[in-house]
Amino acid sequence: MSQTDIIEVRPTLSESLQDIVETRRVDAALDWLGNHPPHVIADQLARMDAVRAGMAFRLLDKDHALAVFEELEPVDQQQILQGLRDQSFRDLVEGMAPDDRARMLREAPAKVAKKALAGLSPRERRMTASLLGYPEGSAGQYMTPEVVALPRDLTVAEALGMVRAKGGNAETVYTLPVVDAGRRLTGIVELRELVLSKPETMVSELVVTEPAFARATDAAEKAARLMRETNDINLPVVDSEDRLVGLLTIDDAVEVIEAADSEDVALQAGSAPWEGHYMAAGVFQLARYRALWLLLLLFAATLTVSVTDFFEGTLQQAAHLALFIPLLIGAGGNAGAQAATACVRAVAVGEVRVSDLFRVIWRECRVGLVLGSLLASVGLAIGALFVGPRIALVVGITLVLICGWAATIGGTMPLLAKKLRIDPAVVSAPMVTTLVDATGLIIYFTTAKLVLGI
């Protein structure tokens, strides 16, 4: 933007940053940026293409830019970095928290990662390299290594002095791990306890022994859900020998759970998860993520066509049976999808384990039969009104059987996937629905042949 592009028009309340940047109003953009918090600015940048996002980001002052940058997803951070000059690039990467920096560099192109590491100070480079060495998706990748660890033999006054001396370099000081001489975790103490205790009190009297913790190689999602269960705002992370290596903070835990839930929702809907902001994703990009699943489901649906073709003779003898096929497969598919969604969620939050398989089968089967009986009472009335009592009886019996079967399948498949070390969310609702459609038709036509004698 040049000075000749400046138009003296202040932003209105309804204008977005993207609208302002597109009209090249520098003063209005500066005014908008100065009146919005970092997370709102980050959301607006994520909605823009690379050029406009870079233009807006360069209007931020150094401190504000870092706060906004850390709110962005790694894919959006890379987009911003590629448009910065060398010194701005180095300053931004150097100012990031080590865990955020490591996640961004892990997903960045090799050229960007190499440039970022080369510009770091030796201390920041060591911390970043250590985090990059942990497995993908592990707690070690998300933890902060900048921690104030306290020895047990300090007084409260000495401990607070240590926090003041070292806390400036730590990401958080609200939870203080307590370690022995070998840096092995022995407990934790909250900053609140230190502040409210007498100066001469020993830290060993305040420490919480046997705290919840995660190992650096544990899945980050597992560690984050542990924090939710224990209501901790920070979780100590240790290595294989119980030595303290960092803390998983609440903001990173929320990010991990959000990413995991977003992936599960996408998979359950029969789509692949994508990176970045939905509004910034192109039409063809979104179509590409969904196309593979739709093609797989299309091939799976040929089973339904084969079943219908096999029972063609039955349909010819009782043509009215065809009227209720959409109703039956719709009811069965929805019952199966509901059960699958509930089970995937229960597995994700630890409420259901693989060892509960038979209990889940028994529970979902009964739930399905109850739902089927409820729907059958309506189906009998509709069937009797339009096609007579005999066809209505077939529809009613089939609804009970299909709903019981569908709920059983929907509740079972995620647990079987878990046992086979497959993400339960992959057993998506559309996949369960497609399977139930085909098997439901078999149940329907078999019931018709038995009841009608055809």
Side-chain angles (χ1 to χ4, degrees):
M1 293 186 212
S2 65
Q3 292 297 321
T4 58
D5 293 321
I6 298 175
I7 303 176
E8 295 294 339
V9 179
R10 294 179 65 82
T12 64
L13 292 175
S14 61
E15 277 190 303
S16 68
L17 179 60
Q18 183 171 357
D19 294 333
I20 297 170
V21 171
E22 285 177 350
T23 55
R24 305 178 70 83
R25 288 179 285 146
V26 176
D27 284 350
L30 289 170
D31 193 42
W32 193 99
L33 292 168
N35 287 285
H36 289 82
H39 71 277
V40 174
I41 299 173
D43 178 72
Q44 287 289 305
L45 294 177
R47 292 169 177 263
M48 301 180 193
D49 59 36
V51 174
R52 289 183 176 85
M55 290 168 62
F57 187 83
R58 283 194 288 271
L59 295 175
L60 294 166
D61 61 73
K62 182 177 178 181
D63 293 336
H64 206 187
L66 179 59
V68 171
F69 191 77
E70 291 194 326
E71 293 288 343
L72 292 168
E73 294 294 322
V75 64
D76 299 315
Q77 290 175 337
Q78 295 165 34
Q79 177 177 281
I80 295 295
L81 284 178
Q82 290 172 352
L84 296 179
R85 296 185 180 89
D86 286 350
Q87 187 57 49
S88 299
F89 182 104
R90 285 194 294 270
D91 290 344
L92 200 58
V93 176
E94 176 79 19
M96 293 179 71
D99 52 328
D100 294 333
R101 185 192 304 126
R103 285 197 300 281
M104 185 269 291
L105 294 180
R106 185 183 289 272
E107 300 177 21
K111 182 178 179 181
V112 175
K114 183 178 180 180
K115 179 180 177 183
L117 287 171
L120 292 174
S121 64
R123 176 178 179 273
E124 295 294 334
R125 189 183 303 120
R126 283 195 302 272
M127 286 191 293
T128 304
S130 67
L131 294 176
L132 288 171
Y134 290 111
E136 177 72 26
S138 65
Q141 181 184 340
Y142 283 85
M143 71 181 184
T144 173
E146 297 177 306
V147 181
V148 178
L150 302 176
R152 290 179 61 92
D153 56 356
L154 295 181
T155 64
V156 165
E158 292 170 333
L160 288 174
M162 190 172 181
V163 172
R164 294 188 190 97
K166 299 184 177 181
N169 293 324
E171 184 171 333
T172 178
V173 293
Y174 297 113
T175 300
L176 300 164
V178 179
V179 296
D180 62 14
R183 204 174 168 77
R184 284 183 289 271
L185 180 69
T186 61
I188 60 171
V189 63
E190 300 293 335
L191 179 63
R192 179 178 184 275
E193 295 297 324
L194 296 181
V195 172
L196 296 178
S197 298
K198 295 180 179 180
E200 64 274 11
T201 303
M202 298 299 295
V203 169
S204 57
E205 299 177 28
L206 306 174
V207 68
V208 176
T209 57
E210 300 183 4
F213 67 91
R215 298 204 180 276
T217 52
D218 288 346
E221 182 183 354
K222 177 183 176 183
R225 296 197 185 279
L226 175 60
M227 290 179 67
R228 188 169 67 179
E229 292 173 7
T230 58
N231 294 320
D232 290 329
I233 60 171
N234 297 294
L235 187 72
V237 181
V238 300
D239 62 14
S240 58
E241 298 180 1
D242 293 335
R243 288 190 297 257
L244 180 73
V245 290
L247 283 176
L248 180 63
T249 57
I250 187 64
D251 57 326
D252 290 326
V254 170
E255 182 181 321
V256 169
I257 292 176
E258 180 184 349
D261 289 347
S262 298
E263 180 181 2
D264 287 348
V265 168
L267 292 173
Q268 285 179 285
S271 175
W274 65 87
E275 293 181 338
H277 201 290
Y278 169 81
M279 295 303 295
V283 172
F284 290 103
Q285 180 186 4
L286 292 176
R288 176 167 56 87
Y289 282 117
R290 300 177 188 177
L292 177 61
W293 278 97
L294 288 178
L295 288 171
L296 290 174
L297 293 172
L298 180 64
F299 283 116
T302 58
L303 182 59
T304 303
V305 177
S306 301
V307 171
T308 305
D309 183 61
F310 182 80
F311 286 100
E312 184 180 4
T314 304
L315 278 173
Q316 289 176 347
Q317 295 181 58
H320 285 152
L321 290 173
L323 297 174
F324 295 93
I325 289 178
L327 182 150
L328 293 169
I329 64 176
N334 287 333
Q338 288 175 339
T341 301
C343 191
V344 168
R345 183 259 177 198
V347 169
V349 300
E351 295 176 355
V352 171
R353 301 178 179 85
V354 175
S355 58
D356 297 319
L357 177 61
F358 292 107
R359 294 177 62 189
V360 170
I361 291 174
W362 176 231
R363 173 185 288 267
E364 288 296 340
C365 179
R366 287 180 294 162
V367 170
L369 291 175
V370 170
L371 293 173
S373 300
L374 176 64
L375 296 178
S377 63
V378 179
L380 282 168
I382 295 174
L385 180 64
F386 286 99
V387 295
R390 296 187 70 200
I391 298 293
L393 181 60
V394 173
V395 172
I397 294 173
T398 304
L399 277 170
V400 175
L401 296 176
I402 281 182
C403 288
W405 168 246
T408 304
I409 289 296
T412 301
M413 289 184 68
L415 286 174
L416 293 177
K418 182 76 171 178
K419 186 175 181 63
L420 296 173
R421 299 180 182 277
I422 300 172
D423 187 342
V426 174
V427 186
S428 60
M431 187 68 75
V432 171
T433 301
T434 303
L435 176 61
V436 170
D437 287 351
T439 54
L441 287 178
I442 295 174
I443 294 172
Y444 182 37
F445 291 126
T446 302
T447 302
K449 295 183 71 170
L450 294 173
V451 173
L452 302 177
I454 56 177

